[in-house]
Amino acid sequence: MAKVEAMMPWKDVPLGGTILEPGNARKFKTGDWRSKIRPVTDKEKCIKCGMCWIFCPDMAYTHREDGYFDWNGDYCKGCGICAKECPKDAITMVAEEE
Amino acid sequence: MAKRVGMEVSISISEAVKLANVDVISAYPITPQTHIVEHLSEFVSDGELHSAFVPVESEHSAMSAALGASAVGARTFTATSSQGLALMHEIMYLAASMRLPVVMSVVNRALSSPINIWNDLSDIMAERDSGWIQVFAINGQEAYDLTLQAFKIAEDPRVLLPVAVNLDGFILSHVIEPIELFEQKEVDPFLPPYQPVLRLDPEKPVSMGAFGSPEVFIEVKKQVEEALIGSQKVVAEVWKDFGQRYGRVYKPVESYQTKGAETILITMGSITETAMMAIDALREKGRQVGLVHIRLWRPFPFKEFLQAIKGAKTVAVLDRALSPGGVGGPVGLEVKSALFGKEERPYVAEFVAGLGGRDLTVETFIEVLDKAEKYSQKQKDFQYELIGVREK
Ligand code: SF4
Ligand code: SF4
């Protein structure tokens, strides 16, 4: 399990467990329980449409300056949605080593 | 000065909600709560109350919409009964844990089956552990007053918890009682607008009701527990303030004819006034009996309760809900827990009665008190007795 950065005494927890810092889920890295497969993009086939980025339920893709999308193993669960949704079949799910 | 009028109790509650100037009402109609929200929707459509009225498609949505409204900082009201409250169950816990000061009228009605629209306390007792502040009215005036007070208690920055104001279905909700109604100008100084501590605001984004892993869950629950226990102090302050302004004094537990009482009956809700008549009848015959009724159910006022029953040899508890397979009803369970470990403690006789609207008369309370004294003399070892059930 990823280390939680929210270990604080109960009196310091913001009211009702409210999260005061937008987007801090980024600090909570969950990629370590990914199914033992991950997506690999073939840039030759990619048309930079962004479907993988839109559909990924874990926001594991980030948009690069050159238009391609970078994959991030800190959050990817290996669900395969991006590979399924890619209109150009540019994404292949490949087995990961232990 | 406040005027006293004959009015259906449900209507008076909508009058109280109107005086509280709520921003959002989200509700779904269910018998016997219907008149409260119907009347509020009329106020809104007639332009007498400037609130958003959200006519949702279920109670689950009613409570969810109430949470959303409260989260942006709106003063929020809803009302329900029975199956409707059961459908809210999941969201009830969220309201408390997310510290959203929603106020709700719970017009108490039995949970099915058999399908039954009449009064008992099984609906709210299933929400006992939801983290809500829970108060019980014994008459129409109390239902009206407690509704107004509920906003002030819930929204206090030291509390920030939802409040359920309980009133018995039909027995209270549908009867016409003399009620002292306030003028807006009398209420405004008592109940200023809600000032949220934290709210959903696009200028200052926060996330409410987020994920809480095992590492943080207990800490959030501890906060809620401390806020709930701590709310008793605020409840007392609000009731004191209310008493000083308007002359009606509220306490977490109330005593009736308990001076020198050897046997004390414990009640909650509208049965209390009938029980008082039974106490009067027995007192006239020279019996040393008294009554204690619990107004503040959560947080449970242990200190005040123990003080109120001090000196009694026998305590008879009348529960209007059953915990099947347990020791009777929730009130009896609480009373026994409060006494456990005390060196001097009275004999407790637990009775369950009046389920699904079965009438509770003066005679019922006399029967209960007689039985309690008899069992106490024999120190009868029993869990509880179901009153009025036909064996043949
Ligand atoms: S496999 Fe699933 S989680 Fe991983 S990047 Fe693709 S869509 Fe996102
Ligand atoms: S969905 Fe396929 S084609 Fe579109 S950006 Fe992602 S990898 Fe490229």
Side-chain angles (χ1 to χ4, degrees), chain A residues 1-2 4 6-22 28, chain B residues 97-99 160 197-198 205-211 213 215-216 219-220 222-223 226:
Chain A
M1 192 68 189
V4 178
M7 302 246 227
M8 50 176 85
W10 69 268
K11 283 183 183 167
D12 297 347
V13 174
L15 189 74
T18 298
I19 291 168
L20 304 176
E21 180 192 350
F28 188 53
Chain B
S97 290
M98 290 167 67
R99 310 294 298 279
L160 293 171
V197 170
L198 259 183
V206 297
S207 305
M208 290 186 180
F211 182 74
S213 64
E215 291 85 346
V216 297
E219 282 68 26
V220 175
K222 169 76 174 166
Q223 255 190 15
E226 288 293 330

Side-chain angles (χ1 to χ4, degrees), chain B residues 11-162:
Chain B
I11 309 295
S12 80
I13 290 172
S14 26
E15 294 280 350
V17 174
K18 182 181 157 205
L19 286 175
N21 247 319
V22 294
D23 301 303
V24 177
I25 301 156
S26 73
Y28 189 83
I30 182 169
T31 303
Q33 151 267 33
T34 327
H35 291 179
I36 298 175
V37 289
E38 272 177 4
H39 206 69
L40 282 168
S41 74
E42 280 168 22
F43 281 147
V44 173
S45 66
D46 293 348
E48 286 182 55
L49 172 60
H50 299 288
S51 302
F53 189 96
V54 193
V56 284
E57 77 283 13
S58 78
E59 285 86 357
H60 190 281
S61 306
M63 186 49 74
S64 301
L67 262 56
S70 187
V72 299
R75 177 170 286 167
T76 308
F77 176 80
T78 186
T80 195
S81 286
S82 182
Q83 311 301 121
L85 185 60
L87 192 49
M88 287 179 174
H89 177 70
E90 179 187 347
I91 317 299
M92 292 287 287
Y93 283 65
L94 273 68
S97 290
M98 290 167 67
R99 310 294 298 279
L100 298 173
V102 174
V103 171
M104 171 161 64
S105 299
V106 181
V107 186
N108 302 117
R109 161 187 153 183
L111 283 171
S112 299
S113 72
I115 298 172
N116 177 296
I117 57 167
W118 294 273
N119 168 227
D120 72 25
L121 301 184
S122 53
D123 55 0
I124 189 63
M125 287 308 169
E127 306 306 326
R128 185 192 61 183
D129 301 338
S130 58
W132 284 56
I133 295 171
Q134 301 172 20
V135 291
F136 285 79
I138 68 165
N139 58 35
Q141 185 70 59
E142 284 199 11
Y144 177 83
D145 291 349
L146 289 171
T147 304
L148 269 177
Q149 296 156 0
F151 291 99
K152 194 172 170 93
I153 294 164
E155 293 166 2
D156 189 292
R158 295 165 293 172
V159 177
L160 293 171
L161 285 171

Side-chain angles (χ1 to χ4, degrees), chain B residues 15 71 89 150 197 201 213 225 236 246 278 315 317-318 335 354 379-380:
Chain B
E15 294 280 350
H89 177 70
V197 170
D201 176 2
S213 64
E225 168 70 342
Y246 312 118
V315 166
V317 182
L318 201 137
V335 167
Q379 290 288 301
K380 181 177 168 178

Side-chain angles (χ1 to χ4, degrees), chain A residues 24-80:
Chain A
N24 76 350
R26 193 176 289 122
K27 293 182 184 168
F28 188 53
K29 294 180 178 163
T30 51
D32 55 356
W33 47 275
R34 173 167 62 250
S35 325
K36 293 185 183 68
I37 49 170
R38 65 184 164 89
V40 175
T41 305
D42 179 352
K43 291 213 172 60
E44 298 291 302
K45 291 186 184 168
C46 174
I47 55 164
K48 307 177 180 177
C49 68
M51 294 298 263
C52 49
W53 172 69
I54 287 170
F55 275 94
C56 173
D58 272 293
M59 296 196 272
Y61 285 103
T62 41
H63 202 177
R64 276 173 20 178
E65 293 253 315
D66 63 6
Y68 290 107
F69 293 85
D70 273 337
W71 171 82
N72 189 331
D74 284 343
Y75 311 105
C76 171
K77 304 300 178 310
C79 69

